[in-house]
Amino acid sequence: MADRKLDKNGVSGKSNGVISDFNLSKPRKRNKYAFACAILASMTSVLLGYDIGVMSGAQKYIQKDFGCSNTQIEILVGIINLYSLVGSAIAGRTSDWIGRRYTIVLAGVIFFVGAILMGFATNYAFLMVGRFVAGIGVGYALMIAPVYGAEVAPASARGFLTSFPEVFINAGVMLGYVSNYAFSKLPLHLGWRFMLGIGAIPSVFLAVGVLGMPESPRWLIMQGRLGDAKIVLDKTSDSLDESKLRLAGIKKAAGIPEDCNDDIVQVAKHSHGEDVWKELLVHPTPTVRHILIAGLGIHFFQQASGIDAVVLYSPRIFEKAGIVKDTPQLLATIAVGFVKTTLILVATFFLDKIGRRPLLLSSITGMIVSLMSLGITLNIIDNSDHKITWAIALCIASVLSFVGFFSIGMGLIAWVYSSEIFPLRLRAQGCSMGVAVNRVVSGVISMTFISLYEAITISGAFFLFTGVAVVGCVFFYTLFPETQGKDLEEVEQVFGTFFRWRSRQAQLDREKEAEMIGNNKA
């Protein structure tokens, strides 16, 4: 039994095991393998971003080509968000069935078909069919990319890695804006078709690239494939010590005994997703109820504060501000995309250093100020009988400020937070519900914005968004625990006390400190 003796790290020193081949006490640098996996998975989100960005400019040319009404354009622009509900509703179950990796591939394939249909559309009805197919792909991508990123990432970089989907959404928005400008000089019947159809190209490369990724270790354990999961965890953890801890935590969450170390094991039926909806919606525990409120709430306020109204209708906003020519409108819109993409990329590097709460609260506060400024400025322009240069400049600055503040917190953290707070057995379906809320609210905003500002003026619309953002700020401050640096299996312990989560966090910190002191003495 000498070969089973534990070393000072508490790890078996078997000579024939993989573990003995590594220096357990020496931590690795930031895990490049996990980084590459998260990058590939998250690039699927480019497809959604591209669609959002390209429709902001393409809608004007589609309206001219097909002679659509404003109501038809509102529906065309926003309906993809409601169509995506079909994808997000079944993506959770699909990902539990075929795995996270193949679900990402499926998202790319579906979007490819949708983009081709939109590019070759000959009338409004044909275009709506393409929007429906693309929307299903968008729903799949929105749900699965952050889930995969959260499940493959080590705790030290989880915020950074799971923020990538939002980064690539913004990169896609920027590409869509550039595509609008690049193809705007083509004949009317060709320009918007190239704008929409060109989105099919990246989906092919993404689907092929994702096949080279490993499967999520948490999904593998849910299937009883412990041997495969150990291999992935060793590659995606910062050290083998951390890999063992992650494995133990996931096994516990999946209902697998701690001393069970076979490569293939039998797992309890509930680990395959049965009765999940009952646990989420019918008989939730206080912890699950708190998690559900936080996970769905952050998605609601992310969209209800008006981000899609600004991104999708920025040319119209600039037109209302006094910029009437197409080219300056498109250039100003590109500036919006550049600011949004740049700041969200910067924010990813601070997410695991500063924490979720400080960034989220700073973000929503800045959005409130920017929305108020935009509403006041547009009101001044609306009620003036001549062009006011400083007001136009302030309007553009307010739009850029709004998307910038959105990017540093709200845009990133909605996806990061919701993907890390749900327990393993509920994660796929819980994230699906978050995506559903996100897309419903986004669809309602984008499908009614023109009608809204025609009814209460464009400044009134942004004052309404300001009020929603204020409510969101109070909601985040009172109900949202910090999740920075915690393992996914540790995160849920903070929830369940609602407004008293700070006391629960302090208690857990004391228990953890006492445990560490006890281990050091031992």
Side-chain angles (χ1 to χ4, degrees):
M1 296 295 290
D3 62 331
R4 297 292 298 173
K5 185 177 180 181
L6 298 181
D7 66 13
K8 64 180 180 180
N9 292 310
V11 181
S12 173
K14 286 193 304 180
S15 60
N16 62 341
V18 177
I19 294 174
S20 63
D21 296 332
F22 294 86
N23 183 349
L24 299 174
S25 61
K26 184 178 179 180
R28 301 177 185 175
K29 296 180 180 179
R30 173 164 282 174
N31 193 290
K32 294 179 180 179
Y33 188 77
F35 182 89
C37 292
I39 283 278
L40 275 173
S42 302
M43 285 179 71
T44 310
S45 302
V46 167
L47 307 177
L48 169 63
Y50 183 83
D51 184 86
I52 292 172
V54 81
M55 281 304 295
S56 71
Q59 60 180 276
K60 297 179 67 175
Y61 303 103
I62 294 171
Q63 188 169 20
K64 292 176 183 177
D65 195 13
F66 288 160
C68 303
S69 66
N70 278 342
T71 301
Q72 287 178 307
I73 289 298
E74 280 183 319
I75 294 172
L76 180 68
V77 170
I79 198 70
I80 195 170
N81 297 301
L82 301 186
Y83 289 156
S84 69
L85 292 177
V86 179
S88 64
I90 58 179
R93 193 69 186 104
T94 303
S95 68
D96 282 345
W97 177 40
I98 65 173
R100 311 321 195 203
R101 183 177 58 159
Y102 286 115
T103 302
I104 296 172
V105 174
L106 183 59
V109 171
I110 295 172
F111 191 89
F112 171 83
V113 175
I116 292 296
L117 290 174
M118 289 189 291
F120 284 96
T122 55
N123 53 48
Y124 184 83
F126 194 160
L127 190 55
M128 287 293 280
V129 172
R131 299 292 281 167
F132 174 73
V133 176
I136 295 175
V138 164
Y140 267 92
L142 277 175
M143 177 267 162
I144 196 58
V147 168
Y148 181 89
E151 293 187 345
V152 79
S156 62
R158 190 176 62 247
F160 178 68
L161 297 183
T162 54
S163 65
F164 285 171
E166 183 65 18
V167 172
F168 283 107
I169 287 175
N170 283 272
V173 170
M174 181 66 182
L175 290 173
Y177 288 158
V178 172
S179 177
N180 288 155
Y181 183 76
F183 295 116
S184 63
K185 306 301 182 184
L186 291 178
L188 180 63
H189 68 287
L190 290 178
W192 66 265
R193 287 185 169 86
F194 273 97
M195 293 175 191
L196 298 179
I198 205 78
I201 295 176
S203 63
V204 176
F205 295 102
L206 292 174
V208 173
V210 167
L211 290 174
M213 293 166 22
E215 185 50 82
S216 156
R218 286 175 171 82
W219 183 83
L220 291 170
I221 290 175
M222 287 169 64
Q223 309 308 307
R225 295 165 57 182
L226 291 187
D228 292 337
K230 288 176 186 176
I231 294 172
V232 177
L233 285 170
D234 287 347
K235 291 181 178 180
T236 59
S237 298
D238 291 331
S239 68
L240 285 201
D241 283 336
E242 183 190 18
S243 174
K244 287 176 65 66
L245 289 173
R246 290 174 70 189
L247 178 63
I250 302 169
K251 284 166 63 177
K252 181 179 179 181
I256 298 174
E258 185 178 352
D259 59 352
C260 182
N261 294 305
D262 296 335
D263 285 347
I264 303 292
V265 301
Q266 292 293 323
V267 292
K269 285 188 175 181
H270 66 78
S271 293
H272 288 284
E274 286 80 359
D275 298 326
V276 164
W277 293 113
K278 185 183 294 184
E279 187 173 351
L280 272 172
L281 300 175
V282 182
H283 301 297
T285 63
T287 297
V288 171
R289 189 178 296 115
H290 187 181
I291 288 172
L292 197 61
I293 291 171
L296 302 189
I298 193 169
H299 279 290
F300 172 82
F301 284 108
Q302 186 202 53
Q303 293 299 327
S305 54
I307 185 61
D308 274 5
V310 173
V311 173
L312 283 166
Y313 295 103
S314 51
R316 290 176 184 258
I317 295 171
F318 292 135
E319 183 178 4
K320 290 286 184 181
I323 305 174
V324 294
K325 294 183 179 179
D326 283 357
T327 299
Q329 283 179 17
L330 292 176
L331 289 173
T333 301
I334 289 175
V336 171
F338 178 78
V339 169
K340 199 168 184 292
T341 304
T342 302
L343 288 185
I344 209 162
L345 187 59
V346 171
T348 60
F349 293 95
F350 293 97
L351 198 55
D352 287 311
K353 296 178 181 178
I354 297 176
R356 281 53 158 168
R357 275 179 59 83
L359 281 177
L360 185 60
L361 294 174
S362 300
S363 172
I364 193 71
T365 302
M367 288 166 61
I368 291 168
V369 174
S370 302
L371 285 167
M372 181 64 72
S373 171
L374 182 57
I376 293 171
T377 306
L378 288 170
N379 187 55
I380 291 172
I381 293 171
D382 251 357
N383 291 286
S384 175
D385 55 0
H386 63 280
K387 189 174 183 179
I388 307 175
T389 304
W390 67 264
I392 296 174
L394 183 56
C395 178
I396 295 173
S398 297
V399 170
L400 296 178
S401 173
F402 173 72
V403 298
F405 276 111
F406 176 87
S407 296
I408 66 169
M410 183 80 86
L412 278 177
I413 295 171
W415 304 104
V416 173
Y417 204 84
S418 62
S419 68
E420 64 188 2
I421 61 176
F422 284 99
L424 173 62
R425 65 190 179 281
L426 309 177
R427 185 166 299 136
Q429 286 82 355
C431 288
S432 291
M433 291 178 65
V435 172
V437 170
N438 189 287
R439 293 299 90 194
V440 166
V441 179
S442 174
V444 170
I445 296 293
S446 54
M447 290 171 66
T448 61
F449 182 66
I450 297 176
S451 300
L452 179 66
Y453 75 64
E454 287 178 345
I456 64 173
T457 74
I458 194 164
S459 58
F462 285 108
F463 288 141
L464 178 61
F465 293 143
T466 303
V468 173
V470 169
V471 176
C473 186
V474 175
F475 176 77
F476 298 142
Y477 181 79
T478 55
L479 279 173
F480 274 53
E482 180 60 74
T483 59
Q484 177 193 17
K486 295 181 176 65
D487 289 330
L488 291 180
E489 284 66 40
E490 182 185 356
V491 165
E492 64 181 285
Q493 298 178 39
V494 188
F495 289 85
T497 53
F498 296 92
F499 300 105
R500 299 189 301 276
W501 64 266
R502 291 173 179 81
S503 301
R504 175 61 176 159
Q505 181 64 70
Q507 178 188 351
L508 290 172
D509 289 342
R510 288 193 297 270
E511 291 175 357
K512 191 171 184 179
E513 185 177 354
E515 183 180 353
M516 290 176 64
I517 293 173
N519 290 339
N520 289 336
K521 287 182 178 179

